[in-house]
Amino acid sequence: MTPDQYLSAESLEKEMALLMRLLEALNRRRNYPLERSHYLLLLQVQAEAKKINDLAAILALDATTVTRQVTAMQLNGLVTKESDPSDRRITWVTSTEKGRTLASEMREIRIHRINEMFKEWTPQDKDTFSKMLGRCNESLYNRLAEM
Amino acid sequence: MTPDQYLSAESLEKEMALLMRLLEALNRRRNYPLERSHYLLLLQVQAEAKKINDLAAILALDATTVTRQVTAMQLNGLVTKESDPSDRRITWVTSTEKGRTLASEMREIRIHRINEMFKEWTPQDKDTFSKMLGRCNESLYNRLAEM
């Protein structure tokens, strides 16, 4: 590692740890219509039904955790689940109308807040940041897949 | 909100929610020498003693939570605490040698992993991303202060 590489990694390390801390703090103080984990799951099943195993891969969770989440969400009327008629081991999850409504309310609130947060940024900077976050997320997916 | 503003906020919303999910997943699967909250606190008191109230502000936590954390960390031999001789309501927190050693080990591991994660990025992109994360963290601090 050259001194330059070390320096930039050092500052990335600090900023990423801080970002996570601040986002946690912000989420704790906000009243959202849904838990964040339920929201993320609902976003995935809004347009079409998905299999538990595919949801686990997308959300970087194990199938047991997703199954537990889906059961809790079903009790809250947010999703429905159905066994695959050709293979009972496969479970399909779909959003209910209530799930769709609450997810879209939550999304509107989040988008409004993000606009507030980034209001001093130029559209170009927002675009660059969003693309870099996307790249960073891709690397994180790869790291998780290697573990 | 113009359609363009909406679009960029939409993609920021998605990427930030995903980033948080992936970082959580990654942290859960890793064996670090310290809990992340203890690590973040230790980084603050490594160079000099700090007051509980100042730590709460920096870490975006309330004083009660920081006091609880400090007590747990003291039991683990990571920090020491001391009342201010001129005002007993003020508590100063300092890192022990053990705290400093473990924080520095954890930091090395994190920096190494971040270098791995960003190995495909140019030094310039890493620098831009790190600065943008810093700006984003500043906005988050401001939002938290307004709440």
Side-chain angles (χ1 to χ4, degrees), chain A residues 1 5-6 8-30 36-37 39-40 43 58-62 65 106-108 110-141 143-145 147, chain B residues 1 5-6 8-30 36-37 39-40 43 58-62 65 106-108 110-141 143-145 147:
Chain A
M1 216 187 287
Q5 275 178 318
Y6 192 85
S8 81
E10 209 175 31
S11 112
L12 278 169
E13 189 267 339
K14 190 187 125 227
E15 299 298 353
M16 289 186 74
L18 192 56
L19 176 69
M20 200 157 163
R21 179 78 277 289
L22 293 170
L23 289 175
E24 275 169 4
L26 215 54
N27 280 323
R28 243 205 309 274
R29 293 186 205 187
R30 282 174 173 171
R36 194 165 49 89
S37 60
Y39 170 65
L40 284 171
L43 289 186
I58 296 167
L59 299 167
L61 293 167
D62 54 59
T65 307
M106 177 141 170
R107 197 145 163 270
E108 288 302 316
R110 285 178 53 95
I111 286 178
H112 175 75
R113 286 178 174 163
I114 280 178
N115 262 318
E116 282 294 303
M117 219 180 95
F118 290 95
K119 67 179 173 213
E120 316 278 342
W121 294 45
T122 65
Q124 207 173 0
D125 280 356
K126 280 196 275 192
D127 191 53
T128 305
F129 188 51
S130 165
K131 283 191 182 122
M132 284 184 152
L133 283 172
R135 246 180 103 186
C136 172
N137 286 336
E138 246 176 73
S139 311
L140 283 167
Y141 264 123
R143 301 298 294 163
L144 279 164
M147 288 174 103
Chain B
M1 218 186 284
Q5 274 179 318
Y6 192 84
S8 79
E10 212 175 27
S11 112
L12 278 169
E13 190 266 340
K14 191 187 124 228
E15 298 299 353
M16 288 184 75
L18 192 58
L19 176 68
M20 202 161 161
R21 178 79 277 288
L22 293 170
L23 288 175
E24 276 169 5
L26 215 55
N27 280 323
R28 242 205 311 274
R29 292 187 206 185
R30 282 174 174 171
R36 195 166 49 88
S37 60
Y39 170 65
L40 285 172
L43 288 187
I58 296 167
L59 300 167
L61 293 168
D62 54 58
T65 307
M106 177 140 172
R107 196 145 164 270
E108 288 301 317
R110 286 178 52 95
I111 286 179
H112 175 74
R113 284 177 175 165
I114 280 178
N115 263 319
E116 280 296 302
M117 219 179 94
F118 290 94
K119 67 179 171 210
E120 315 280 339
W121 294 46
T122 64
Q124 207 172 358
D125 280 356
K126 281 197 273 191
D127 191 53
T128 305
F129 188 52
S130 166
K131 284 189 181 122
M132 285 184 152
L133 283 172
R135 246 179 104 187
C136 173
N137 286 336
E138 246 176 72
S139 312
L140 283 167
Y141 264 124
R143 303 296 294 164
L144 279 165
M147 289 173 102

Side-chain angles (χ1 to χ4, degrees), chain A residues 40-83:
Chain A
L40 284 171
L41 199 149
L42 277 171
L43 289 186
Q44 296 304 324
V45 294
Q46 261 186 325
E48 44 169 21
K50 284 211 173 83
K51 296 178 199 165
I52 297 252
N53 284 342
D54 291 344
L55 287 169
I58 296 167
L59 299 167
L61 293 167
D62 54 59
T64 320
T65 307
V66 175
T67 305
R68 202 172 45 230
Q69 267 182 18
V70 166
T71 305
M73 291 170 74
Q74 196 186 17
L75 287 171
N76 287 320
L78 300 172
V79 293
T80 53
K81 59 180 182 183
E82 219 178 328
S83 296

